[in-house]
Amino acid sequence: MNTTDITPKTSHKRTVEDFDIKKYMGEWYEIARYDNVFERGLTNVRARYSLLPDGTVKIENTGTNIHGKTRTIFGTAFQPRPGIPAHFKVSFFWWFASDYNVIMLAPDYSYSVVSGKNGKYLWILAREKFLSGETMDHINTFLRTRGFNPGKLIF
């Protein structure tokens, strides 16, 4: 399970070097995340990414709240620096854009680890609803080397 990355100023922003935006598009299931206010109380969270003709990415995030109701929010993402293809700015509200850094990516695009602003946000995403124990061990080891605390993850 090799992943490649570049060396940045801070580890939470170090993105994967080999990144094909077209392969990244499609549906992703949220395996785990750091707690955050905009997803608090949601389960069965998934994201669908679609590449638009202008190069921006349409985002559709869906989850189930504690009352069993589906909640969906739409956003957009763009690459602010073409030289760093796995770094995006994501906006769900027109006045606010946040970092979305793909810091780990399976060679076959079957799972991804994403870090947000200043390492405060973290998501483990996968194409399937579950990851093997071996893959999770690999991800957790990677996270520790980057200074993240896997014990804070909510599955």
Side-chain angles (χ1 to χ4, degrees), residues 59-148:
I59 303 167
E60 179 182 343
N61 282 355
T62 304
T64 306
N65 70 17
I66 58 173
H67 304 291
K69 295 191 180 207
T70 300
R71 188 175 124 196
T72 302
I73 187 168
F74 295 91
T76 58
F78 65 95
Q79 294 173 302
R81 292 182 264 158
I84 306 176
H87 169 71
F88 295 85
K89 289 288 189 178
V90 173
S91 178
F92 288 98
F93 308 100
W94 66 269
W95 66 89
F96 176 75
S98 187
D99 289 324
Y100 182 104
N101 300 299
V102 180
I103 62 172
M104 183 183 200
L105 182 61
D108 63 356
Y109 287 69
S110 61
Y111 66 86
S112 171
V113 178
V114 177
S115 170
K117 184 177 180 167
N118 300 321
K120 178 180 176 183
Y121 302 112
L122 187 70
W123 294 270
I124 299 173
L125 307 174
R127 298 295 187 171
E128 302 292 329
K129 291 182 180 182
F130 303 98
L131 289 173
S132 71
E134 178 185 346
T135 299
M136 284 306 303
D137 288 345
H138 177 68
I139 291 170
N140 286 334
T141 298
F142 171 83
L143 290 174
R144 282 188 208 91
T145 67
R146 288 291 185 91
F148 290 98

Side-chain angles (χ1 to χ4, degrees), residues 23-60:
K23 287 182 182 179
Y24 200 77
M25 297 299 102
E27 186 152 276
W28 290 90
Y29 295 94
E30 181 181 274
I31 303 300
R33 69 176 179 259
Y34 275 2
D35 186 35
N36 62 68
V37 69
F38 40 89
E39 287 184 289
R40 194 160 289 142
L42 291 181
T43 60
N44 301 314
V45 178
R46 62 190 183 282
R48 176 173 291 283
Y49 303 125
S50 305
L51 190 59
L52 300 176
D54 67 358
T56 60
V57 177
K58 176 184 170 187
I59 303 167
E60 179 182 343

